[in-house]
Amino acid sequence: MSSTTPRVPAMTRPSRSAPRPPSPVPVLAHLMIWGGAAAVLALWWSDTPSVVGAAGWLTGAGRITGLLAGYACAILLLLMARVPLMDRAIGTDRLARWHAMGGRYTISLACAHVLLISWGYSLESRTGVVDQTATLVLHYPDLLRGTIGFSLFLVTAIVSARAVRRRLPYETWHLLHFATYLAVFLAFGHQLSDGADFTGDRTAQLVWYALYIAVAALLAWYRFAVPARRALRHRLYVAEVRPEAPGVVSVYLSGSGLAELRAEPGQFFRWRFLTRGLWWAANPYSLSAAPHPAYLRITVKASGGHSAALAHLRPGTRVLAEGPYGAFTARRRRARKTLLLGGGVGITPLRALFETLPGEVILVYRARRPEDLALRGELDALAAARGAAVHYVVDEPAAYFSPLTPEALRGLVPDLAERDVYLCGPPGMTEAASAALRGAGVPRGRIHHESFAL
């Protein structure tokens, strides 16, 4: 499986920084989120002197679920506000998983709120549930707008369901997901107009306004103002497109003041290429080489219309980049020895880490065929320069195949249990690898995973 060595970008000397203790930010974030939920329940408790009868219990439960759903909406937006402190300490993929899980809770709470309030009010007024629901929607202030917002939430939940999302291109799903902003905007008014816990309680109203205004300010700043400011400052453009393997290309991007971006190996940007057919979508691609003051590089495999089109980019094409994002960096390192385990195009962030991570590093790169081993020449050159080991594992031919089992991994890396593991690849491969690593004795906290499913 010999290959010619391509022109390799200038290599960065590995850092000598010591392993860092775990960041307290994830724990503090959990405490703040659940503390806020407890405060919301305390608001209901303070405004509810007693609960009498079936109607009272149903209406009380409807108020609680409505309050929690309203609070959860603000938290969902905050998790996706791309605040640098949260992004670097928790990780974009982890925040996305929290967001997805929180979205399921929010939809469930909102549905329960609608059902319980309608049912409770119908018992209280001795009318049918359908008639009572129509009365609420048509005659209560801001509730028609809230109903439209609730409907948009349901649409967003449907397109985000795994079975549906698999059938949608990433760009389409991402665009439809923006309906969440409109849904929250439409639903906000009725919380204060109709919520019994806010009516007449000026302090509660001010706190609720402050919560939503703070989240809106963070969204406006980090998702819109900062990217616009950086676009004007750095003026990124495509410098070169270079084939790396079948269906795989590297895109070199240049601009002004790139060092000011403070990107780290292992991070990614959301790239928007300002050319026909690509300008409307911002897709996440990891840096495949350590950031350089003169250029950034991504390496992309053709797996859809957007990624396939990057092979045809012309030098000089202007680019907007949002980022850098992600916590898949040397900051996660806890041990002095590291294993980088990658599959397919998941090698891209690992290639940048292989160049820069301090200490003893071993790389295991899995692919379907030898010709699919993108950047292999660079990896061999990096391994030789730093005295590291690289193991290539392919499905075909069978002589080079090694299963993802604890025994096979220990055969490649005997001291596996003593290492941090950076894992990146397709979902099926990463799930199997995570199980095998835990079976081989690697603590869960030292398996650092970068998800492809943002």
Side-chain angles (χ1 to χ4, degrees), residues 66-67 69-74 77 113 141-150 152-153 180-195 198 202 204-216:
L67 284 168
Y71 172 70
C73 285
L77 296 181
H113 167 68
D142 295 318
L143 204 51
L144 180 58
R145 292 173 59 188
T147 302
I148 297 172
F150 173 66
L152 286 175
F153 267 123
T180 306
Y181 295 137
L182 180 59
V184 172
F185 174 76
L186 292 172
F188 177 76
H190 101 278
Q191 298 176 45
L192 300 179
S193 301
D194 304 311
F198 294 109
R202 190 62 177 168
Q205 292 178 15
L206 290 175
V207 170
W208 210 248
Y209 269 116
L211 171 65
Y212 272 82
I213 289 173
V215 171

Side-chain angles (χ1 to χ4, degrees), residues 37-407:
V40 167
L41 293 175
L43 174 63
W44 172 83
W45 182 268
S46 66
D47 288 335
T48 308
S50 63
V51 179
V52 180
W57 283 103
L58 289 170
T59 303
R63 286 167 54 196
I64 291 173
T65 52
L67 284 168
L68 289 174
Y71 172 70
C73 285
I75 297 302
L76 286 181
L77 296 181
L78 177 62
L79 291 175
M80 289 290 99
R82 300 174 189 167
V83 178
L85 175 63
M86 295 173 59
D87 190 83
R88 289 177 181 270
I90 299 173
T92 306
D93 59 330
R94 193 174 175 188
L95 289 171
R97 289 195 295 272
W98 289 5
H99 175 83
M101 180 178 64
R104 291 190 285 271
Y105 287 142
T106 304
I107 290 296
S108 299
L109 288 167
C111 289
H113 167 68
V114 171
L115 176 61
L116 292 167
I117 285 291
S118 299
W119 192 3
Y121 278 28
S122 70
L123 289 179
E124 200 171 288
S125 61
R126 301 181 184 278
T127 60
V129 174
V130 174
D131 290 340
Q132 183 60 51
T133 301
T135 299
L136 290 171
V137 171
L138 297 176
H139 298 289
Y140 276 58
D142 295 318
L143 204 51
L144 180 58
R145 292 173 59 188
T147 302
I148 297 172
F150 173 66
S151 301
L152 286 175
F153 267 123
L154 290 179
V155 172
T156 304
I158 291 170
V159 300
S160 297
R162 187 171 298 179
V164 178
R165 185 176 172 182
R166 284 176 181 159
R167 301 174 182 271
L168 290 175
Y170 170 83
E171 298 83 8
T172 303
W173 171 84
H174 191 260
L175 190 63
L176 291 173
H177 218 64
F178 274 100
T180 306
Y181 295 137
L182 180 59
V184 172
F185 174 76
L186 292 172
F188 177 76
H190 101 278
Q191 298 176 45
L192 300 179
S193 301
D194 304 311
D197 301 286
F198 294 109
T199 305
D201 190 336
R202 190 62 177 168
T203 300
Q205 292 178 15
L206 290 175
V207 170
W208 210 248
Y209 269 116
L211 171 65
Y212 272 82
I213 289 173
V215 171
L218 290 172
L219 279 168
W221 180 252
Y222 287 113
R223 295 204 64 165
F224 300 100
V226 170
R229 185 183 66 177
R230 287 180 174 172
L232 294 173
R233 168 67 184 92
H234 301 295
R235 298 186 175 275
L236 285 169
Y237 62 91
V238 174
E240 181 184 357
V241 178
R242 187 183 304 170
E244 301 287 4
V248 179
V249 297
S250 285
V251 181
Y252 289 79
L253 305 114
S254 191
S256 303
L258 299 186
E260 297 172 15
L261 290 170
R262 299 173 62 188
E264 298 179 41
Q267 291 190 306
F268 69 94
F269 288 75
R270 285 180 168 87
W271 306 92
R272 189 184 302 272
F273 297 92
L274 302 185
T275 187
R276 183 177 180 181
L278 298 178
W279 64 268
W280 61 280
N283 283 32
Y285 299 116
S286 297
L287 298 176
S288 62
H292 189 277
Y295 64 84
L296 302 173
R297 189 185 77 174
I298 59 175
T299 301
V300 181
K301 181 178 180 179
S303 56
H306 187 279
S307 53
L310 300 192
H312 307 291
L313 286 171
R314 295 182 178 180
T317 300
R318 298 303 297 268
V319 183
L320 302 181
E322 301 174 36
Y325 298 125
F328 194 64
T329 67
R331 296 171 184 265
R332 285 192 175 181
R333 192 170 61 102
R334 303 288 173 260
R336 295 189 178 276
K337 296 180 181 181
T338 308
L339 167 65
L340 306 178
L341 178 55
V345 77
I347 194 62
T348 53
L350 299 182
R351 168 12 187 127
L353 288 169
F354 192 44
E355 181 179 348
T356 56
L357 270 179
E360 183 185 320
V361 181
I362 293 177
L363 171 66
V364 176
Y365 181 11
R366 305 178 65 91
R368 186 165 165 265
R369 303 166 300 173
E371 54 266 34
D372 295 326
L373 294 167
L375 308 175
R376 185 181 177 190
E378 292 186 18
L379 296 173
D380 289 339
L382 287 169
R386 64 178 300 165
V390 181
H391 300 288
Y392 298 105
V393 179
V394 294
D395 297 338
E396 305 168 4
Y400 295 97
F401 176 73
S402 177
L404 268 175
T405 63
E407 296 74 21

